[in-house]
Amino acid sequence: GAVEAGGDHRVNSRLPDLAHLKKKPLEMLEAVEQALDSEKDAMSGVYAVSALNKLKKMPKHLVHKSKLGGRVDAIMRLLGAVVVKDIGQLSGKHLSLAVNAMAEVRGGDALMRAVATRSVELARDDPESLDIQAIAVILNAFARAGIRDEVLFSSLSHTACELAETSPTEFSAQSVSVIANAFSKMRIKNSFLFERLSQVAQMIGPSDYGPQAASNILNAFARMDEQDRGLFAFLSKVVRQTNPDSFWPHHLAITVNAFAKTGIEDDKLLKHVGNLILARSPAAFDSQAVANILNAYSRLQGESTSTKLIGHMALSLREVNLATLDPSTMSIALNALVKMGWEDEALYRRLMVAAKVTDPLLFDSQAISTIMHSFAKGGIHDISLFDSMAAVAMQMQYAFDPQSASLVLNACAKAEYKNEALMAHMSKIVRKFAPEDFEAQHIDNILNAFARLDVKDRALFVHMADIIQQKEAEFFDSQAVGVILNAFAKMMHREEVTTKLFSFFSNKVLPAMPMGSLDPLSLSIILNSYAKAEIREERLIQMLGACVQRGKGDRLSVENFEIRHIASTMHAYAQLRVEQDEVVSAMWRQLLKYSVKDAQPEEVAVIAWSVTVLNLQELDLVEWLMEGLQFNWGHMEHSLRRQGRQFMLGCELEGLLDAKSGRLVGRKNRPGTSVGIAQLIQSAFKMEDHNPSRLQQDVAGILTEMNLEFKEEFVDKRSGYSVDMLLSDRRTVIEVDGPSHYAMGTKTPLGHSDMKDRQLKQLGFDVRHLPYWEWDQLDSKEQKMDYIKVLLTPTPSPMRSY
């Protein structure tokens, strides 16, 4: 063998001739092993590099069959030591060959470090000794070894950029793809390098590209989020001009997936690749290729993807061995199929079985969350599957991030899967995330899940409220605001944390929100959330209502309000007693454009109740609601019927409706309508039972000591109302009004209390109100008795009247 030393060449005839033994791998292995034992000091770095490459090329099946793996690695490590000793004498080419051979050898770290150091020195002191091929091979070797040496990558990228400027013709399609792939694999961002690679890539003739080089370049640029449309257009043309038979299934998958990752739409490419996919047997595609193809087409074409193509890939999944289907691949394929609206119960059942039997240790949080979310979104709510996924999720803690955690919770909510152990586990995980890791969608998904499943986790809500209030106003969009407010209104009703949170949105977020970002859904949810929370921000609500008035021609125009939006908006104005006649009028006039058959029972009941609270008496509106109630009555639960009955009572008391005949005064009812309404009015009805509060019990005790006769929780048969205390005159009513009768932090009665007061008075009762804050100021029994005496005087104090 030749020994290179300072330009002189010495020949040691005792070293084996590797070229002669090239076709005799076992003999070569033994010869190198013997040479290392007896002639190691006479061996040069060049010779060791040559030996390394020969051993690397030994047939793998032979190494495996002869159980030589450990022996080969040991010999290669010894050769590596020779290379390290002679590292200063090696050229860039020899360095690249050395690391290429040692990249996947256990214990080869010393050589890799030495080559990295020497390569950086050459890039700095003698860049001409490094050609683009050597640079590509060195970078690829470090990427294969998983060694993220940023100094090395930076030095070699600088040299590569200089070569791109001075000698662009030296670049081949393969070298471009190898360099780009190495940087993408190590996640080392270098936009300047990628810009230079794009330039030289487009200078290479299309005929010099093979499917692997083209697909790897596309994949590398996509992974590094380099949206180079010029390069993608060029490579799209290359792919379409390349011999179709030269493409392997994974080339097709990588190509279309790269376009999907960057969001660059290219219908010609997608159609071309789709035809190549259909030309191959479903059995030719492994599960990963299928998943990538489905993912790409679902992201770029969605439900418009050819059903023939989806069916072709679905057939591949049905034929694949379940044991080879890892959770990540399964989740990607499943998510894509559901996203494209593919209906294939047998396939989904097969994937469900695969998810259940897969080793839990193979799952990561992303796979779990995607699988659960996909099945929930697809309407496949299999309890045993969710139980399996929940069991896996509860074994994880630090593997989750806000995205995966929010998807798991969102999936549970969509599937109506209430697993309190899982919810408690996810709550602990969520509370450990840093505030800066959350996006608005994560927050609303998490809170919405707990609200929809009716799981009150106070620690979680308090924690999320703190995070929310650390965010800037522009962090939230209108949808997120609606979901967050609705969740707190439902789950943390009348708690201090909710009051503070609503104040944050009222004073900081909503005033700064571009009104153009609102739509009827988000606006109605926001307004209804204030009503649910019983927080009366009159100025804010009027500001939001004004947006509807100004929204003519845009998406917040009243013409875009559906019945559900109208119901929520009117409910907010009624419950919070906010006066804005123009908005309310616009709402009910829009309602009349719909048929009663278009409305859900809940929507009709809520609007009817709101109309009663607001005391609207327009006959067209009343007639629409009467017909709506009759049409939906059989589908209404008790609470909705109670709202409908309050509406009919209000119409009767206001002289709009004749209770006996069921006819609207001044209107000719449609045949059968009046009969049905009369039956509803005359049916026995009771509002709802009340358990006397401590405040009411205290008042009752004082009345008893004053020898005043009264009946507690008296139910008026005509209206169904239960009054707190009816005195012996059968006319005087005492209503003990606790905090729930008033908007939060105010002395303004809520809509339901105001309506009850009005209707009781119309029924002939003399209603006396006892507000909680007045009673709470009284210390002695004598003071309380004096208060009752004043309350029951013939003319009640104005401050106590509604």
Side-chain angles (χ1 to χ4, degrees):
V3 180
E4 185 180 304
D8 296 327
H9 296 272
R10 295 177 286 105
V11 177
N12 188 331
S13 60
R14 291 189 295 275
L15 290 175
D17 183 354
L18 299 180
H20 180 68
L21 295 172
K22 182 178 180 180
K23 296 184 179 181
K24 300 176 181 179
L26 292 178
E27 292 181 26
M28 180 177 65
L29 180 65
E30 292 177 359
V32 172
E33 192 173 31
Q34 290 173 8
L36 285 168
D37 287 339
S38 59
E39 305 292 336
K40 184 178 181 181
D41 293 337
M43 192 178 291
S44 72
V46 173
Y47 182 89
V49 169
S50 178
L52 281 170
N53 275 274
K54 296 293 191 298
L55 293 177
K56 181 181 181 298
K57 294 175 182 177
M58 285 184 67
K60 291 184 179 180
H61 71 277
L62 178 63
V63 173
H64 179 73
K65 182 178 179 181
S66 304
K67 298 181 180 180
L68 297 172
R71 184 179 171 191
V72 172
D73 283 354
I75 294 171
M76 292 183 77
R77 284 194 292 272
L78 291 173
L79 290 169
V82 174
V83 173
V84 172
K85 180 189 67 173
D86 216 12
I87 195 80
Q89 305 302 319
L90 298 180
S91 66
K93 179 180 179 180
H94 289 122
L95 293 175
S96 68
L97 292 173
V99 289
N100 184 56
M102 289 294 287
E104 292 158 355
V105 175
R106 287 174 295 178
D109 295 351
L111 179 136
M112 301 297 287
R113 286 196 300 270
V115 170
T117 302
R118 180 57 179 160
S119 298
V120 171
E121 291 172 355
L122 289 178
R124 182 188 63 225
D125 303 329
D126 186 18
E128 292 182 0
S129 65
L130 291 167
D131 61 18
I132 198 62
Q133 182 68 19
I135 291 172
V137 173
I138 292 170
L139 291 171
N140 180 55
F142 276 81
R144 283 166 42 221
I147 301 173
R148 196 175 189 273
D149 189 325
E150 293 196 40
V151 174
L152 172 69
F153 274 68
S154 177
S155 297
L156 293 185
S157 71
H158 182 73
T159 304
C161 288
E162 288 184 341
L163 287 171
E165 291 289 338
T166 59
S167 308
T169 56
E170 287 190 15
F171 285 78
S172 64
Q174 183 182 7
S175 62
V176 173
S177 72
V178 169
I179 293 171
N181 197 52
F183 273 83
S184 71
K185 190 172 183 180
M186 290 294 98
R187 296 292 182 184
I188 297 176
K189 185 78 172 174
N190 191 325
S191 295
F192 184 76
L193 170 67
F194 273 72
E195 184 180 334
R196 293 293 175 268
L197 292 177
S198 172
Q199 290 171 356
V200 296
Q202 294 178 66
M203 294 169 63
I204 299 168
S207 60
D208 292 333
Y209 280 91
Q212 183 168 345
S215 60
N216 279 349
I217 293 172
L218 288 167
N219 183 56
F221 273 74
R223 290 182 68 185
M224 299 308 293
D225 197 25
E226 297 286 346
Q227 295 189 351
D228 191 322
R229 293 184 177 274
L231 176 66
F232 273 65
F234 171 78
L235 291 176
S236 169
K237 192 177 293 184
V238 168
V239 170
R240 287 181 278 121
Q241 292 176 357
T242 302
N243 180 6
D245 296 334
S246 63
F247 281 91
W248 288 16
H250 73 274
H251 296 147
L252 300 173
I254 292 171
T255 297
V256 291
N257 208 37
F259 277 83
K261 284 178 182 176
T262 56
I264 296 175
E265 297 182 10
D266 189 323
D267 291 337
K268 289 182 179 179
L269 176 90
L270 292 177
K271 184 176 180 181
H272 177 76
V273 174
N275 289 334
L276 295 183
I277 291 169
L278 292 172
R280 285 159 174 75
S281 166
F285 296 86
D286 61 22
S287 57
Q288 187 173 4
V290 171
N292 284 336
I293 289 168
L294 288 172
N295 177 60
Y297 280 90
S298 71
R299 291 173 69 174
L300 291 172
Q301 294 188 337
E303 294 186 3
S304 63
T305 304
S306 161
T307 55
K308 193 173 182 181
L309 176 64
I310 304 174
H312 200 67
M313 292 294 93
L315 185 57
S316 294
L317 283 177
R318 282 199 292 271
E319 294 178 353
V320 75
N321 184 349
L322 290 183
T324 66
L325 201 58
D326 64 273
S328 177
T329 302
M330 185 194 316
S331 66
I332 293 170
L334 177 62
N335 183 56
L337 288 168
V338 171
K339 189 175 180 180
M340 292 185 287
W342 184 249
E343 297 181 5
D344 191 332
E345 185 176 351
L347 176 58
Y348 289 136
R349 292 292 172 190
R350 192 167 193 270
L351 292 175
M352 196 181 298
V353 170
K356 292 179 187 178
V357 301
T358 301
D359 185 348
L361 296 176
L362 297 178
F363 284 88
D364 60 16
S365 61
Q366 185 176 357
I368 292 173
S369 61
T370 304
I371 289 170
M372 292 179 72
H373 188 260
S374 298
F375 277 114
K377 187 177 179 181
I380 305 169
H381 304 163
D382 185 279
I383 298 300
S384 62
L385 169 77
F386 276 77
D387 283 342
S388 297
M389 293 296 98
V392 177
M394 284 190 283
Q395 295 176 25
M396 298 180 177
Q397 186 166 351
Y398 301 106
F400 281 96
D401 58 14
Q403 170 72 6
S404 55
S406 65
L407 277 181
V408 167
L409 290 167
N410 184 255
C412 291
K414 283 185 176 179
E416 298 180 356
Y417 175 73
K418 187 174 181 178
N419 183 325
E420 295 197 8
L422 174 63
M423 301 294 281
H425 179 73
M426 298 308 297
S427 170
K428 289 180 182 178
I429 290 172
V430 167
R431 284 182 274 131
K432 290 181 180 178
F433 295 143
E436 60 270 18
D437 292 338
F438 284 93
E439 295 179 7
Q441 188 177 14
H442 303 150
I443 295 173
D444 67 46
N445 275 346
I446 291 166
L447 292 173
N448 186 50
F450 277 84
R452 285 180 64 179
L453 293 172
D454 200 25
V455 177
K456 185 173 182 177
D457 188 318
R458 194 174 190 283
L460 174 83
F461 275 82
V462 170
H463 178 77
M464 297 308 292
D466 182 58
I467 288 175
I468 290 166
Q469 292 173 78
Q470 294 179 44
K471 302 296 184 181
E472 297 299 324
E474 58 270 17
F475 177 81
F476 305 94
D477 59 20
S478 59
Q479 180 180 346
V481 172
V483 171
I484 292 169
L485 292 178
N486 184 64
F488 273 87
K490 179 182 179 183
M491 303 309 300
M492 303 294 285
H493 186 245
R494 285 191 169 264
E495 294 211 23
E496 184 181 2
V497 64
T498 301
T499 304
K500 289 182 178 179
L501 185 77
F502 271 70
S503 177
F504 168 76
F505 279 101
S506 299
N507 298 316
K508 184 176 180 180
V509 178
L510 286 168
M513 180 171 289
M515 292 301 106
S517 66
L518 288 168
D519 57 24
L521 177 61
S522 59
L523 176 68
S524 60
I525 291 175
I526 290 170
L527 290 173
N528 199 43
S529 297
Y530 276 87
K532 281 184 182 178
E534 298 172 350
I535 294 176
R536 189 175 186 268
E537 293 281 0
E538 184 173 19
R539 185 176 299 177
L540 173 71
I541 293 171
Q542 288 177 340
M543 180 194 79
L544 294 173
C547 296
V548 178
Q549 293 175 260
R550 294 194 302 266
K552 190 171 182 180
D554 63 21
R555 63 178 184 161
L556 201 55
S557 171
V558 71
E559 286 79 14
N560 294 325
F561 276 69
E562 299 175 10
I563 297 177
R564 55 183 176 142
H565 307 143
I566 295 169
S568 294
T569 302
M570 292 187 69
H571 175 259
Y573 276 88
Q575 176 70 331
L576 299 176
R577 298 177 65 207
V578 175
E579 293 185 10
Q580 201 168 18
D581 294 343
E582 299 87 351
V583 175
V584 173
S585 176
M587 289 294 121
W588 69 257
R589 291 182 191 282
Q590 174 66 11
L591 175 69
L592 297 184
K593 296 179 182 179
Y594 293 98
S595 164
V596 295
K597 295 180 180 179
D598 297 328
Q600 296 296 315
E602 182 180 1
E603 294 164 354
V604 174
V606 168
I607 295 172
W609 179 89
S610 302
V611 164
T612 310
V613 173
L614 294 167
N615 201 21
L616 302 178
Q617 300 182 22
E618 285 74 8
L619 286 180
D620 288 341
L621 174 60
V622 171
E623 185 176 31
W624 192 97
L625 290 169
M626 286 293 184
E627 291 181 14
L629 287 170
Q630 186 182 22
F631 182 79
N632 288 284
W633 195 262
H635 302 287
M636 287 183 173
E637 58 184 30
H638 178 79
S639 61
L640 301 182
R641 289 187 175 188
R642 183 173 67 247
Q643 290 179 316
R645 183 68 182 84
Q646 287 173 313
F647 166 74
M648 289 184 282
L649 174 65
C651 290
E652 180 187 349
L653 294 174
E654 296 293 343
L656 303 175
L657 178 68
D658 180 70
K660 293 182 179 179
S661 65
R663 291 182 179 277
L664 287 176
V665 177
R667 288 294 174 100
K668 184 178 181 181
N669 289 22
R670 295 188 180 95
T673 303
S674 57
V675 176
I677 293 173
Q679 291 174 345
L680 298 183
I681 295 172
Q682 294 165 13
S683 60
F685 202 83
K686 182 181 178 183
M687 288 304 171
E688 59 183 7
D689 294 323
H690 292 277
N691 294 318
S693 64
R694 288 184 181 180
L695 173 63
Q696 184 175 327
Q697 291 172 1
D698 188 24
V699 174
I702 295 298
L703 291 176
T704 301
E705 291 204 28
M706 293 175 69
N707 295 319
L708 293 173
E709 293 184 13
F710 65 95
K711 184 172 183 180
E712 218 173 341
E713 296 301 333
F714 171 77
V715 178
D716 174 57
K717 292 183 179 180
R718 183 178 176 188
S719 66
Y721 279 125
S722 172
V723 298
D724 293 339
M725 296 159 188
L726 178 68
L727 299 191
S728 57
D729 63 1
R730 307 290 293 177
R731 178 175 174 273
T732 305
V733 167
I734 297 177
E735 282 287 278
V736 181
D737 296 336
S740 63
H741 288 258
Y742 303 91
M744 284 286 290
T746 75
K747 296 179 181 179
T748 303
L750 291 167
H752 64 82
S753 294
D754 183 61
M755 176 180 63
K756 181 180 179 182
D757 173 77
R758 185 175 72 244
Q759 291 187 339
L760 285 174
K761 288 175 179 177
Q762 288 174 318
L763 288 166
F765 291 101
D766 180 9
V767 184
R768 309 298 174 97
H769 289 277
L770 191 157
Y772 72 95
W773 67 83
E774 292 185 0
W775 190 261
D776 288 347
Q777 292 176 355
L778 307 176
D779 297 323
S780 66
K781 185 185 300 182
E782 289 73 19
Q783 288 178 322
K784 293 177 180 179
M785 287 181 175
D786 290 341
Y787 180 93
I788 294 295
K789 290 176 183 177
V790 173
L791 179 68
L792 296 178
T793 56
T795 304
S797 169
M799 64 183 294
R800 299 193 190 98
S801 69
Y802 273 42

